[in-house]
Amino acid sequence: AISPVTITLYNYLCNNRESIQVKRLRRYIVIFTTALASCSFGAKFIINYFIPKYNPAVEVLFWLFAGKILYVIIQAIYVNLYKALKKQNIYFRNLVIVTVANILINYLLFLFIRTSVAFAIGTMISNGLWFVLCVSDLKEFRPTINEYFYILVMIVILLFCGIKINAIIGFIIYLISAFLLAIVVMKEEVI
């Protein structure tokens, strides 16, 4: 679901780099990626009811899907913008920074948590760092306060519903929350 979108958007962003168009496209991607994250509840349902010996993997799964919300936005919008704007050197610098930070964060978290959840949380934090670097490099394409709010709230809801609530009820709460919050924050794009 991710690669076809990111590959197609590169061509689009090469020809359409106006700030208004990119911002609208990013809002569509934000809505798409939060909806896509709901697939994690299907995986949780399968694990819980068919392969319960893998239940400890559920928390890892939701941290990774939460990180994917940011990762898809980075890949679909910002990495493609770096390429379209011929700023590959800045992209490479950020990639090196995030890779080194990811190694350090994962190491430090593993010292404290001592489970595979540490690596999932580290990946989530690294994606957050990468997102911040992208936004600070490409200021003219910076998200609005509403978009930041939506992304942050949806990540928190995904983690809470995924880790603490039954798969079916969590899925319903997550989707309703995503839809209602998107209507409030990005009504035009939802319509």
Side-chain angles (χ1 to χ4, degrees):
I2 297 168
S3 293
V5 171
T6 58
I7 291 168
T8 303
L9 289 181
Y10 171 69
N11 291 327
Y12 178 83
L13 290 171
C14 282
N15 299 316
N16 301 288
R17 287 180 255 158
E18 294 79 27
S19 181
I20 293 169
Q21 289 178 314
V22 173
K23 288 178 180 182
R24 173 169 264 178
L25 179 62
R26 186 188 52 245
R27 288 189 291 269
Y28 288 137
I29 295 297
V30 167
I31 293 167
F32 166 74
T33 191
T34 53
L36 188 62
S38 68
C39 294
S40 56
F41 291 96
K44 178 180 180 175
F45 180 82
I46 291 168
I47 291 169
N48 288 162
Y49 294 100
F50 298 106
I51 47 176
K53 70 177 182 177
Y54 289 102
N55 277 338
V58 168
E59 188 174 355
V60 172
L61 175 79
F62 279 93
W63 278 103
L64 291 175
F65 265 88
K68 279 291 184 195
I69 291 174
L70 294 172
Y71 181 79
V72 173
I73 298 166
I74 293 164
Q75 291 296 312
I77 301 298
Y78 293 103
V79 170
N80 282 329
L81 279 172
Y82 284 127
K83 294 175 189 174
L85 297 170
K86 308 287 187 236
K87 294 185 175 187
Q88 289 94 331
N89 56 338
I90 298 171
Y91 165 66
F92 181 73
R93 179 205 67 200
N94 287 350
L95 196 57
V96 170
I97 291 169
V98 170
T99 302
V100 171
N102 191 20
I103 292 167
L104 292 172
I105 291 166
N106 282 329
Y107 176 73
L108 292 172
L109 284 172
F110 189 72
L111 289 177
F112 293 104
I113 299 175
R114 295 268 181 210
T115 68
S116 57
V117 173
F119 301 115
I121 294 171
T123 300
M124 170 67 202
I125 293 169
S126 297
N127 284 337
L129 172 63
W130 197 1
F131 184 77
V132 168
L133 289 172
C134 291
V135 167
S136 65
D137 286 337
L138 301 168
K139 289 178 176 61
E140 64 271 23
F141 305 108
R142 182 175 287 166
T144 63
I145 297 296
N146 286 346
E147 288 174 76
Y148 285 125
F149 176 75
Y150 180 82
I151 293 167
L152 180 64
V153 169
M154 290 315 304
I155 287 172
V156 170
I157 292 172
L158 177 70
L159 290 170
F160 177 76
C161 289
I163 295 169
K164 299 291 185 188
I165 300 177
N166 167 286
I168 295 169
I169 295 169
F171 173 74
I172 293 167
I173 292 171
Y174 177 77
L175 275 186
I176 290 171
S177 300
F179 181 70
L180 292 177
L181 190 58
I183 286 175
V184 171
V185 175
M186 298 177 277
K187 184 177 183 177
E188 189 176 319
E189 286 74 15
V190 172
I191 292 171

